[in-house]
Amino acid sequence: MAASVKTPTLTIALAGNPNAGKTSLFNALTGLNQGVGNFPGKTVEKKTGICRRNGHTISVVDLPGTYSLTAFSLDERIARDHIISGEPDVVVCVADATNLERNLYLAVQIREIGVPLVLALNMADSARAQGIRIDTKWLGQLLGGIPVVATAANRGHGIDELLDAVVHSAENPTPPTFAIDYGTAIEAAIATIQTRLADEIFVDSFARWMALMLLESDQTVIETVREFDNGQAILAEVGAQIGRLETLFNDDLPIVSADHRYGFINGLVRQVQQKPVDRVALTDRIDDIVTHRYLGLPLFMLVMLLVFRLVIDVAAPFLNWVDAVITGPIASWTATILTAISAPAWLQSLVIEGIIAGVGGVLVFVPGLIVLYLFLAFLEDSGYLARAAFVMDRLMTVVGLHGKAMIPLILGFGCAVPAVYATRTMSNRRDRILTALLIPLMSCSARLPVYVVFGLAFFGRYAGTVIWIMYLVGIVIAVLAGLIFTRTILQPDENAAFVLELPPYRMPTGRSLLLHTWGNTKEFVHKAGTLILAVSVVLWLLLNLPLGVAEQEDSLFGQVSATVAPVFEPLGFGTWEATGSLITGFIAKELVVSTLSQIYIGAQDDLDIETTTSFAQDVLEIMVGFWEAAVDAARTLISIIPGIDLTGNNTEPEDVALSSALRDSFTPLSAVSFLVFVLLYVPCVATIAAVKQEFGKRWAVTAAVYQTALAWVCALLVYQGGLLLGYG
Ligand code: GDP
Ligand code: MG
């Protein structure tokens, strides 16, 4: 360029999809001040021009039109190399507003690099004519605080505003970092690689982007990293991470990460754009229903009801089968073996009354958990759970939280501990704390055994509905608690905007469902084999001390429980047995059932264990029992279809061993009161530890205290209210 031209004070690059109007914008900006050259070393034409605004001289580069920055094609590589070269002070992404979703893919990729970005929503005139309305301000916020300007390049509309935005972001070059959440597994890999890159790359967001590109096997970035001092080691680590992740997802990583980006954009567009409903895709049509302002929430409730009905109805036959196997053959085999090796009486008591009653009492629920986790995995993998979060978003706003908090909360239905850690994806500490305080109110899987035992004992075939109501109560109380916290100790500080991801709908693969389910169930069984086992042994000891104690009630455990018991008198369950189970339940909520089972079943002195059947008979019985359970479950499943009933009329589910003992010491009303208490009272030790690690001692104590107080008050209301209404 001629030396007489004043040195430009600013350089910008125009990126955008083909036909988004880049050339039109370039012409509108630069008029006749245009020049043509080539991109360095390439034969691709490089158009440059100059424009002025408020004393600034701005040099404009028109990049080749691309749909993404994956660097597969020459054009994509040129565009990307230019963007990361540091040459442009600001990148302007030109997006076609009539086709927002497709055009945002490029914008999001540029945003991920972390360079200053201004989004020009071009074709604003056509968009308006088509009835499309886009909230530009909100769009900019959701993209992490960038300017978004509506333009109509061919008419010269919006050009001055665009230039003002460009100058503004050049003068304030670091917008808040922007990160799409790629899910736990990929995020962990990104974090690992990012740490390794820290020696060479000093800007965090750029290191994150490079880590992501490495995971996507991006050749350009791989070449760059190869030059680093520890390049080989980093690339070896990358290879290992890719291998691990691709086995996990059973898919190529670039596809998985692109899915996340599309999901992000889908959610984003749904939040900022209103569009007339002609010519929308099937996914959008389904989304219009399931994320509907009024239909969405009831639909979500219905889906959850269906899931818990299925968990109960389908799992019940298997539950009875496991129960029969444990109290039947397993107990009798163990007794036979113990007798054969002439084990002392105390050892027999420990194994049968302590371990089999305690651990077995919990293992009985494995079938229920398998079914629960299977459905949760199905909801998650199919993409529905993300919609549920979307639907709950509006409710969350009332509570002073954002939709993003919904993901950890839904995880809380599985286990509160990983859910508390999952709050890390939220940037605001106050939001994280509030979410962590509400997570334990979501009924975790450890509470399911308690619901099932009491549900079956007192409500028979309505057990499923009762359990569903318990989940609902947890949610409603969480809303109320959120309202109170938001108005007292956790007032919202500022309004941050989040995008809720809406991934495409998918038929989940059987493989991934099984992997999910297996992982979670394994955890539960592992806990039964370690923590629950240990506590069962200790509890057995405490139930048999001081030595020679005749009645359990006089044992150490019985006495301590009996001392505390009056506290629960007004709630309807002031017995030492119920109190004792609540004490151990603090360690892990499964232990409520395990303890009750040790007390009530272990105490039956005349444990008439049949040892007369042969081993072969037992095994045959186990197999036949399983087959019958499978047939029963299949019948129930098919009978869910309206108009078909294969279950016969005797659908009253059988008891598990514990149920009948419970009917002697609880009334239906005190049982409900007990369930409400178990739902709400102090989170288990592991959850409190997680809260302490994340937010400090003060919040851990707050969580424990507020929940216990809440539980006591709610159970009191249930019980005394019930008495007043005459349900005693
Ligand atoms: P490029 O491929 O990104 O360089 O896009 P062009 O600048 O060549 O524009 C593609 C087509 O869209 C041309 O026919 C332009 O006249 C038209 N166009 C560009 N900007 C606008 C706009 O803001 N509104 C409307 N209605 N048409 C536009
Ligand atoms: Mg062009």
Side-chain angles (χ1 to χ4, degrees):
M1 221 161 278
S4 64
V5 177
K6 209 172 95 189
T7 315
T9 52
L10 265 181
T11 304
I12 66 174
L14 300 184
N17 290 10
N19 288 318
K22 256 173 342 80
T23 304
S24 307
L25 184 61
F26 182 75
N27 290 337
L29 285 170
T30 59
L32 296 174
N33 298 317
Q34 298 186 359
V36 178
N38 274 355
F39 282 100
K42 305 283 176 358
T43 54
V44 175
E45 187 177 90
K46 179 185 187 184
K47 288 206 298 176
T48 54
I50 301 284
C51 70
R52 294 195 170 77
R53 171 82 184 158
N54 287 350
H56 294 270
T57 308
I58 301 167
S59 151
V60 188
V61 177
D62 191 16
L63 297 175
T66 60
Y67 291 104
S68 75
L69 291 182
T70 42
F72 287 142
S73 72
L74 181 61
D75 280 353
E76 286 175 350
R77 179 165 313 177
I78 287 172
R80 207 184 70 185
D81 287 351
H82 188 77
I83 289 172
I84 58 178
S85 69
E87 200 179 307
D89 298 298
V90 177
V91 177
V92 173
C93 181
V94 185
D96 176 354
T98 63
N99 209 334
L100 188 61
E101 189 145 356
R102 196 191 65 202
N103 280 256
L104 276 182
Y105 194 81
L106 180 69
V108 162
Q109 280 196 320
I110 299 174
R111 194 66 189 83
E112 283 192 300
I113 296 176
V115 294
L117 173 68
V118 172
L119 183 61
L121 277 187
N122 197 33
M123 313 256 182
D125 53 336
S126 314
R128 194 171 306 120
Q130 290 177 28
I132 298 171
R133 282 195 289 163
I134 299 168
D135 186 338
T136 48
K137 207 167 166 196
W138 198 12
L139 173 59
Q141 263 173 32
L142 292 173
L143 284 172
I146 60 161
V148 178
V149 182
T151 60
N154 62 343
R155 303 165 185 227
H157 292 173
I159 304 301
D160 288 349
E161 289 84 346
L162 183 66
L163 284 172
D164 287 343
V166 164
V167 170
H168 178 82
S169 56
E171 286 167 350
N172 308 276
T174 36
T177 48
F178 168 82
I180 291 177
D181 182 5
Y182 286 96
T184 335
I186 295 184
E187 286 297 333
I190 291 178
T192 311
I193 299 169
Q194 197 180 332
T195 323
R196 296 280 200 110
L197 288 171
D199 292 345
E200 306 267 356
I201 310 289
F202 302 111
V203 181
D204 260 4
S205 59
F206 195 62
R208 175 185 164 88
W209 176 77
M210 283 189 86
L212 185 62
M213 288 302 109
L214 288 173
L215 287 173
E216 291 188 20
S217 305
D218 183 285
Q219 283 313 315
T220 322
V221 178
I222 290 178
E223 292 313 320
T224 312
V225 170
R226 210 187 293 285
E227 304 297 313
F228 292 174
D229 283 347
N230 56 348
Q232 289 306 328
I234 295 177
L235 292 180
E237 172 74 45
V238 169
Q241 297 282 358
I242 291 178
R244 201 172 53 80
L245 291 172
E246 297 201 332
T247 340
L248 183 69
F249 293 113
N250 201 17
D251 213 338
D252 294 336
L253 275 186
I255 295 177
V256 179
S257 60
D259 269 0
H260 277 282
R261 267 180 223 122
Y262 282 123
F264 175 88
I265 291 167
N266 191 6
L268 179 73
V269 168
R270 193 155 274 272
Q271 287 179 68
V272 301
Q273 175 180 269
Q274 283 183 317
K275 198 175 183 176
V277 280
D278 60 320
R279 285 182 47 232
V280 280
L282 181 63
T283 299
D284 287 332
R285 260 184 218 195
I286 299 175
D287 278 348
D288 283 338
I289 299 170
V290 299
T291 68
H292 187 270
R293 189 177 290 268
Y294 304 113
L295 288 180
L297 200 58
L299 211 67
F300 171 57
M301 298 292 177
L302 218 82
V303 169
M304 292 313 270
L305 172 66
L306 192 69
V307 166
F308 292 115
R309 291 284 326 245
L310 284 173
V311 168
I312 300 311
D313 294 347
V314 176
F318 290 103
L319 230 110
N320 291 322
W321 170 75
V322 178
D323 191 40
V325 170
I326 291 177
T327 52
I330 292 195
S332 82
W333 293 341
T334 316
T336 312
I337 293 170
L338 288 174
T339 317
I341 61 169
S342 27
W346 66 263
L347 185 59
Q348 299 213 13
S349 157
L350 168 64
V351 172
I352 308 273
E353 293 161 20
I355 295 175
I356 292 190
V359 176
V362 165
L363 283 184
V364 166
F365 299 96
V366 168
L369 290 186
I370 291 179
V371 180
L372 172 69
Y373 279 125
L374 205 61
F375 282 115
L376 278 186
F378 183 85
L379 290 183
E380 188 173 0
D381 288 3
S382 65
Y384 180 72
L385 218 46
R387 271 77 189 174
F390 208 91
V391 163
M392 297 295 282
D393 186 32
R394 265 182 283 271
L395 201 62
M396 302 308 292
T397 321
V398 178
V399 185
L401 277 175
H402 303 285
K404 247 206 164 151
M406 206 50 220
I407 308 287
L409 285 171
I410 290 180
L411 287 180
F413 287 126
C415 175
V417 177
V420 167
Y421 291 122
T423 60
R424 286 179 185 172
T425 55
M426 301 160 66
S427 51
N428 181 321
R429 183 176 151 87
R430 174 260 171 197
D431 291 354
R432 290 190 60 200
I433 294 177
L434 180 51
T435 311
L437 289 180
L438 301 186
I439 283 171
L441 299 176
M442 304 296 112
S443 288
C444 68
S445 59
R447 272 168 269 188
L448 191 60
V450 192
Y451 299 164
V452 173
V453 165
F454 280 83
L456 289 180
F458 293 95
F459 304 100
R461 76 163 93 173
Y462 300 108
T465 314
V466 169
I467 291 167
W468 179 70
I469 291 174
M470 292 308 298
Y471 279 84
L472 217 59
V473 168
I475 296 172
V476 170
I477 302 263
V479 171
L480 296 179
L483 279 175
I484 294 171
F485 281 128
T486 305
R487 274 156 189 73
T488 55
I489 51 174
L490 284 169
Q491 292 180 4
D493 23 36
E494 98 251 23
N495 265 342
F498 292 110
V499 173
L500 284 167
E501 200 176 303
L502 278 187
Y505 285 107
R506 285 254 150 95
M507 197 58 203
T509 61
R511 190 190 134 91
S512 93
L513 288 187
L514 289 181
L515 271 176
H516 253 97
T517 308
W518 166 240
N520 289 320
T521 313
K522 197 174 68 181
E523 198 105 313
F524 184 85
V525 173
H526 179 252
K527 204 159 143 201
T530 52
L531 180 69
I532 312 274
L533 176 68
V535 176
S536 296
V537 172
V538 173
L539 185 61
W540 172 83
L541 256 176
L542 294 177
L543 277 170
N544 287 285
L545 286 177
L547 279 178
V549 64
E551 290 294 323
Q552 284 185 330
E553 195 172 354
D554 302 325
S555 68
L556 264 180
F557 187 70
Q559 284 175 13
V560 170
S561 304
T563 317
V564 183
V567 174
F568 301 116
E569 198 65 59
L571 316 186
F573 45 85
T575 61
W576 75 268
E577 292 97 332
T579 309
S581 73
L582 291 174
I583 294 175
T584 54
F586 172 50
I587 298 172
K589 299 225 166 168
E590 297 96 324
L591 281 165
V592 171
V593 161
S594 162
T595 302
L596 287 172
S597 149
Q598 252 179 300
I599 295 175
Y600 286 120
I601 298 177
Q604 292 161 3
D605 289 331
D606 48 339
L607 250 188
D608 53 332
I609 294 171
E610 287 238 17
T611 44
T612 49
T613 50
S614 78
F615 183 72
Q617 265 176 312
D618 283 344
V619 172
L620 186 68
E621 216 168 272
I622 292 175
M623 281 163 36
V624 171
F626 183 83
W627 172 248
E628 286 174 357
V631 171
D632 266 5
R635 281 203 180 126
T636 320
L637 199 57
I638 295 169
S639 302
I640 285 176
I641 304 167
I644 301 179
D645 188 3
L646 300 178
T647 52
N649 277 331
N650 54 341
T651 44
E652 205 63 28
E654 283 173 55
D655 281 348
V656 289
L658 186 53
S659 298
S660 57
L662 289 177
R663 273 194 295 268
D664 295 336
S665 40
F666 285 86
T667 65
L669 180 60
S670 69
V672 171
S673 160
F674 186 76
L675 286 187
V676 168
F677 191 85
V678 170
L679 161 66
L680 300 177
Y681 89 122
V682 65
C684 69
V685 175
T687 307
I688 293 185
V691 173
K692 176 165 175 266
Q693 190 190 339
E694 294 294 291
F695 311 110
K697 204 191 229 156
R698 200 177 117 224
W699 289 110
V701 172
T702 309
V705 171
Y706 108 81
Q707 272 195 240
T708 311
L710 188 67
W712 197 86
V713 171
C714 290
L716 183 78
L717 289 178
V718 167
Y719 187 67
Q720 299 298 339
L723 285 184
L724 278 181
L725 295 175
Y727 288 112

